[in-house]
Amino acid sequence: MSFSIERYKEESKNLDTTGIDWQAVTASPLSKGDLFCLHYMMDIENHVPLYLSHLLVTRACMDPILTAFLACWNYEELWHGENLAKLLNLYGIEFDAQDRIANVRAHLGFQNSVSILSTMVGSWLLKDFSAVYLTIGAINELSTLTGYAALIRKSGHPVLKDLLNRIIKDERRHYAFYFNSAKEWLAGNEKAQRVDRWMLNRFWVPVGQGVKTQEQVDALALYLFDDEQGEEDLLTLDEKIGRLPGLEGIELMSKALYAARERRRQNPEWAWRLIDNEEWAVAPPKKSPVGELTTRRSHGEAELSVLEGT
Ligand SMILES: [Fe+2]
Ligand SMILES: [Fe+2]
């Protein structure tokens, strides 16, 4: 698996959607589980700028190759979220994509600032911290593309399949960058390998957790991977990450699936109730109106402010 940053910089662009048969979105049904996953995935794609804000307070910003990658990566991810929102809107689910993004972020509140500060401190105290976020990047990209492939299989929806296959091509490039960069950092560096393994075993969580609750993460995992093929996909994923120096035999995504199964065993309603109740809508934040967070105001309010000289 090779990756050239020069080629990536030249070729990076917004997702090519030429020829996608958007008119046919409503011609095939999407199940409640498909819709739950699509909302989850859209929210996490749209959350990338906040992940980026974490990375840019670390030593990562000292590496021009990494910052060049992040600039293109962030742009490409933007279009993944945009196109997933477009598909959902065309399917008949009404929401304003910008309001939804702002609402998801508003729910994070103080926890996001604490998380940024701890990432910053960790990075400046631990020289090999880079190995950890590069490895996490590789796991996240690989689990994202594995999740999209599973959703294609589960939904059987032709337009969704076409869109996700195009997104998967981007995710593969992202995975190649993170994997190769992590490998470079870890090769011959036993201390970094130990730090990486230790941190992953203790602090790693599946992509989206933190923005989404444990039960939401479990609902996605159980819908997409709780069958023979799904479990095999996750074991293969772990095996691929285990090819990084020092990570042989590591269990991450498969362990997350088994833990989700266990929580459902203890409470049979766990996770599925979210899918059944269509809990993908985002409730408006209690104390932070969207306008306050984004400085956006409705047209009328903006005009009034100008007239009042405020
Ligand atoms: Fe993406
Ligand atoms: Fe990606």
Side-chain angles (χ1 to χ4, degrees):
M1 189 169 49
S2 63
F3 185 91
S4 154
I5 188 68
E6 291 309 321
R7 204 170 140 204
Y8 181 62
K9 282 195 291 191
E10 291 288 337
E11 291 179 359
S12 174
K13 58 178 173 26
N14 63 346
L15 192 77
D16 183 3
T17 56
T18 316
I20 290 186
D21 190 4
W22 295 109
Q23 310 279 347
V25 168
T26 49
S28 312
L30 289 164
S31 71
K32 284 185 175 184
D34 300 332
L35 290 170
F36 179 87
C37 293
L38 279 168
H39 281 83
Y40 184 116
M41 290 159 160
M42 172 183 68
D43 288 343
I44 302 310
E45 292 283 7
N46 286 330
H47 204 68
V48 164
L50 270 81
Y51 292 127
L52 179 65
S53 72
H54 280 68
L55 287 173
L56 291 178
V57 298
T58 65
R59 290 170 191 254
C61 58
M62 299 297 151
D63 176 357
I65 293 177
L66 186 55
T67 48
F69 170 79
L70 293 177
C72 304
W73 168 74
N74 186 43
Y75 181 68
E76 290 179 359
E77 301 291 12
L78 170 82
W79 292 100
H80 299 173
E82 294 271 333
N83 281 292
L84 290 174
K86 181 176 177 177
L87 186 133
L88 285 169
N89 282 157
L90 287 172
Y91 190 71
I93 296 169
E94 287 175 17
F95 60 91
D96 177 273
Q98 306 313 314
D99 281 351
R100 185 175 173 99
I101 295 169
N103 281 340
V104 170
R105 292 179 190 175
H107 277 89
L108 295 177
F110 187 58
Q111 166 211 335
N112 185 54
S113 310
V114 173
S115 171
I116 288 184
L117 277 174
S118 47
T119 310
M120 186 171 162
V121 172
S123 138
W124 290 96
L125 288 179
L126 264 177
K127 187 174 161 285
D128 290 315
F129 202 76
S130 298
V132 182
Y133 54 68
L134 291 170
T135 309
I136 289 177
I139 301 166
N140 285 353
E141 296 293 344
L142 187 56
S143 33
T144 301
L145 73 92
T146 308
Y148 285 145
L151 185 56
I152 289 173
R153 182 165 58 85
K154 289 277 175 190
S155 71
H157 190 290
V159 184
L160 182 61
K161 179 182 177 183
D162 188 3
L163 173 63
L164 291 182
N165 273 329
R166 296 172 194 231
I167 295 178
I168 284 173
K169 280 188 190 156
D170 281 354
E171 310 295 15
R172 275 195 208 292
R173 278 194 294 274
H174 302 164
Y175 167 59
F177 172 81
Y178 281 116
F179 185 91
N180 289 344
S181 306
K183 191 174 169 188
E184 212 171 286
W185 194 284
L186 292 164
N189 185 347
E190 277 184 33
K191 193 169 146 259
Q193 293 175 20
R194 275 198 306 277
V195 169
D196 199 18
R197 195 173 186 112
W198 190 88
M199 295 282 283
L200 289 171
N201 278 328
R202 272 155 197 82
F203 301 111
W204 172 84
V205 288
V207 60
Q209 192 158 337
V211 180
K212 299 289 178 183
T213 63
Q214 181 70 68
E215 190 171 8
Q216 288 171 322
V217 176
D218 286 353
L220 183 99
L222 292 169
Y223 181 72
L224 292 180
F225 301 114
D226 192 24
D227 56 16
E228 209 178 311
Q229 166 88 55
E231 186 173 345
E232 205 180 303
D233 287 351
L234 296 189
L235 288 166
T236 307
L237 187 158
D238 282 350
E239 190 263 319
K240 284 183 180 164
I241 297 301
R243 289 180 207 163
L244 284 170
L247 297 187
E248 297 82 359
I250 197 155
E251 290 169 355
L252 298 164
M253 282 301 289
S254 58
K255 208 162 90 181
L257 174 66
Y258 302 147
R261 280 179 180 165
E262 179 54 25
R263 281 186 283 271
R264 192 195 41 199
R265 196 187 61 75
Q266 288 177 10
N267 176 3
E269 286 185 8
W270 180 259
W272 285 106
R273 62 187 167 190
L274 300 186
I275 291 174
D276 284 339
N277 296 337
E278 301 187 348
E279 282 206 25
W280 31 257
V282 174
K286 287 191 190 90
K287 287 181 189 158
S288 313
V290 171
E292 230 175 77
L293 287 150
T294 60
T295 71
R296 274 195 288 119
R297 298 287 186 275
S298 72
H299 188 60
E301 278 175 357
E303 265 181 0
L304 197 66
S305 309
V306 171
L307 285 172
E308 287 172 349
T310 51

